[in-house]
Amino acid sequence: MEKTISIRLSEDDNKFIESAAKKERLSKSSWIRRRIFLNNK
């Protein structure tokens, strides 16, 4: 089942996600997706 989720990021959160995703060589959306799935288990 697919569910669309929208989130609003503060400037600081966006910068954090961009740098974290860059370190792991992921796009921002896949980094966020992975983070959500890993934290829900």
Side-chain angles (χ1 to χ4, degrees), residues 12-27:
D12 290 341
D13 289 340
N14 189 49
K15 284 180 184 157
F16 170 78
I17 290 171
E18 279 178 353
S19 66
K22 199 175 287 182
K23 279 182 207 159
E24 298 178 39
R25 294 191 174 146
L26 295 168
S27 67

Side-chain angles (χ1 to χ4, degrees), residues 5-9 13-14 16-18 20-21 24 26-40:
I5 300 172
S6 71
I7 53 175
R8 288 179 184 236
L9 297 173
D13 289 340
N14 189 49
F16 170 78
I17 290 171
E18 279 178 353
E24 298 178 39
L26 295 168
S27 67
K28 279 169 42 179
S29 60
S30 58
W31 186 90
I32 291 167
R33 199 177 304 122
R34 204 185 69 184
R35 194 66 175 238
I36 289 168
F37 288 132
L38 289 178
N39 289 343
N40 282 348

